[in-house]
Amino acid sequence: MENRHPKRVEDYTLANLILIFVNLMWIFTAVWSTWGLGPVLILAAILNHLITRLDLHKRRKAPGFDKTEQI
């Protein structure tokens, strides 16, 4: 049995970000056409808040985080 090292994997980050953008756009368009611009703005604000909280949570879990330091 041969012991082969795995080859380097392609980076699909950009493709995934583009797909997320496209999906958000059609969902926002569907919500806008159904209920108007208000719910789209509220949904965008909620998503922004959740992404910010996720970032803060990941920073706190990262090694080297000083609990006395303010973010």
Side-chain angles (χ1 to χ4, degrees), residues 2-69:
E2 294 181 33
N3 189 8
R4 295 184 186 177
H5 295 290
K7 295 181 181 177
R8 189 170 185 176
V9 180
E10 289 186 48
D11 184 16
Y12 290 107
T13 304
L14 181 62
N16 286 327
L17 288 174
I18 290 171
L19 284 175
I20 289 170
F21 173 74
V22 169
N23 282 325
L24 275 176
M25 290 307 295
W26 79 259
I27 290 169
F28 282 167
T29 303
V31 170
W32 190 356
S33 65
T34 305
W35 292 296
L37 186 59
V40 173
L41 294 176
I42 292 170
L43 183 59
I46 290 170
L47 283 173
N48 185 34
H49 178 72
L50 290 174
I51 290 170
T52 303
R53 289 198 43 127
L54 178 65
D55 180 45
L56 289 174
H57 177 73
K58 284 187 172 188
R59 284 187 192 182
R60 287 187 182 125
K61 292 278 186 175
F65 177 74
D66 184 15
K67 293 188 183 208
T68 60
E69 179 182 318

